[in-house]
Structures are given as C-alpha cells and as structure tokens.
Amino acid sequence: MIEVLGIKKSFNNNPVLRGLSFRINKGDVLTIIGPSGSGKTTLLRCIDFLERADEGTLSFDGETFDLSQASKKQVYDIRRRIGFVFQSHHLFNNKTALGNVMEGLVTARKIPKPEAERIAKETLNKVGLSDRCDYYPSQLSGGQQQRVGIARALAPSPDLLLFDEPTSALDPELTGEVLAVMKLLAGEGVTMVVVTHEMSFARDAANRVIFVDNGSIVEEAISEDFFSSPREERTRQFLSRALQQPIMK
C-alpha cells in the first residue's frame, strides 16, 4: 500500500495543494480529475520529487518519507519505485524507440545492455510497438511517441505508474490508442495514478476517482458511485460540464 498524507505546496505564497491525503492499494487505478489549475499536476510532481512539497509524507509499504526533507538517497530510492508518464513525450530525439526505453535501464539501473535490450523489446511489444523499435521519434506519430514514453516508464517494473494528462496533446484518434494501452495495463493489475480529463477512462478503467478543486479533495469514491451518484454539489457541477449532461442528485 502507498499512502500520501497532508501534502501541501505553495508558489509565491499562493497555496496550490492544501493538505491532500489518500491511499493507493496494489492494483488500484486511481484517477484524479478536476478543473485546470486545481493542483493535479503539482500533486504528481511532488510525489515524484519533481517539485518539493512544503509539507507531507509518502509511505511505501509502511516505510515513510518526509516529502519536504527527504535526502538525495531517499529521493533516488523513491524514484526507483515510481514511473512517470508526462504530458509531452520527453524522448531523446537522437535515440530510437528501443534506445529511449533502454536508456534508463542502462544508465540508472545499471542493467547490462543485452538484458536491457530484451526488457525494452518486451515492453515495446506490450504497448504495440514491436515493429517500431528502430524508429526515431521524428518517424513516429504523437500517439506512438507517447506509447514509447509509457514503455520507458513501465520497463523497470515500478511499484507505481504516474500519468500526467497523457493524452492532452493528442487528437481523438491518437488518444484512443494511448488509452487502449492504459486500459490493458489496468487489466493486468498495474498500479496507476492518472491525472486525466478523459472521463470515459475514469469511468470505465479506473476503480477509484478523486475530484480535486482549488488544491483540496472535494470527493473520493469508487468509480461507479462517483459517476452515478456524486455526493457533493461541486462534483455534480463539474461532471455536468465535463460530461455535457445533467447529473442527478
């Protein structure tokens, strides 16, 4: 089990995260939704130490880390257990799809190149790109590049995958191919936290949903209940706009 407790973050004295707490069980697909500027991306970045939280703790199976004061070694240890898929692909343009997935395995994990190549090929096959191993990013569509990004995050077999709006820069057709890969991973029991504006994914592939607004958790529920009978009026307002249909009280 992974637990986030009391995470706070401000920029220039402007509170962005206001003491958020939640749990992630093994095999969970937890989606985080909410309006733009509500703190969703900052939350993921603080969990992976891409931003330093002002307060809060992160626990992995009972081992607790202070998000504001963790040492470099602790940050490294946590990052080894977390994979991060960004909004944009962040691929090395001078490396092939295979090279991009191998890079972290060889340089960060010190895995011998033959073994890293085997793992990278297996992971690219999992995301449907076995025939694109030797292609450079410029030769791949946006959806294919994002799938390489997913493969890169997945290859080290992390305990947790974080997705930050992985389809936000894609057109609807390419969005579908990325979401299909994510649903496949969800079906295989990969533990994921997904910040997304794709309500269909949150409804159909996630088992839990958190609605964040103004840096706070407004509502958390299992996916079916969240979409069929939200408790909070603010949640109903958001869903009515996001789904473009009225939500019953």
Side-chain angles (χ1 to χ4, degrees):
M1 183 188 71
I2 302 164
E3 187 170 31
V4 175
L5 285 177
I7 186 167
K8 295 182 180 181
K9 178 66 179 178
S10 296
F11 292 104
N12 298 320
N13 295 319
N14 177 37
V16 177
L17 301 176
R18 302 172 184 266
L20 283 75
S21 299
F22 56 92
R23 292 181 177 180
I24 310 159
N25 297 311
K26 185 175 177 59
D28 268 354
V29 179
L30 172 64
T31 51
I32 300 176
I33 65 173
S36 297
S38 57
K40 305 183 300 296
T41 291
T42 300
L43 173 61
L44 292 194
R45 291 177 63 85
C46 286
I47 291 173
D48 199 38
F49 289 95
L50 297 171
E51 300 279 358
R52 277 279 184 171
D54 300 326
E55 295 180 32
T57 61
L58 174 67
S59 298
F60 271 98
D61 298 326
E63 185 179 6
T64 299
F65 303 89
D66 188 322
L67 289 170
S68 66
Q69 300 182 27
S71 66
K72 288 184 177 180
K73 181 182 183 304
Q74 288 175 321
V75 171
Y76 176 75
D77 289 342
I78 292 170
R79 283 181 170 168
R80 286 175 62 88
R81 305 177 72 170
I82 296 176
F84 202 115
V85 180
F86 298 89
Q87 291 183 23
S88 54
H89 322 111
H90 293 303
L91 301 179
F92 295 108
N93 290 324
N94 63 337
K95 293 184 180 293
T96 63
L98 183 66
N100 268 280
V101 179
M102 287 180 60
E103 179 67 20
L105 298 174
V106 173
T107 59
R109 302 297 178 114
K110 308 303 181 185
I111 296 175
K113 284 188 176 180
E115 177 67 5
E117 181 175 349
R118 181 191 65 78
I119 294 171
K121 285 182 175 179
E122 286 182 356
T123 313
L124 285 167
N125 181 60
K126 183 182 289 289
V127 300
L129 291 175
S130 58
D131 60 342
R132 295 292 190 270
C133 288
D134 296 328
Y135 283 53
Y136 289 88
S138 62
Q139 299 171 304
L140 300 171
S141 71
Q144 289 170 335
Q145 291 181 53
Q146 190 62 294
R147 283 189 280 159
V148 174
I150 293 173
R152 178 181 56 191
L154 185 64
S157 298
D159 296 326
L160 174 65
L161 272 182
L162 303 177
F163 291 82
D164 181 20
E165 296 277 15
T167 62
S168 62
L170 304 177
D171 64 38
E173 184 176 3
L174 300 180
T175 291
E177 67 183 51
V178 172
L179 291 177
V181 169
M182 294 171 65
K183 288 179 180 178
L184 172 67
L185 298 179
E188 292 181 350
V190 176
T191 306
M192 298 189 282
V193 175
V194 183
V195 167
T196 184
H197 62 276
E198 296 289 343
M199 295 298 105
S200 61
F201 179 86
R203 183 178 55 231
D204 300 335
N207 63 309
R208 288 168 53 224
V209 181
I210 289 177
F211 173 50
V212 175
D213 190 23
N214 195 28
S216 299
I217 293 176
V218 176
E219 186 163 346
E220 178 179 358
I222 64 172
S223 182
E224 181 179 357
D225 291 347
F226 184 88
F227 285 98
S228 64
S229 53
R231 300 185 305 273
E232 303 296 331
E233 177 60 27
R234 179 67 185 96
T235 309
R236 289 192 287 270
Q237 292 172 354
F238 175 81
L239 289 177
S240 181
R241 296 188 184 99
L243 300 173
Q244 296 185 335
Q245 64 187 47
I247 304 298
M248 300 300 292
K249 291 186 179 180

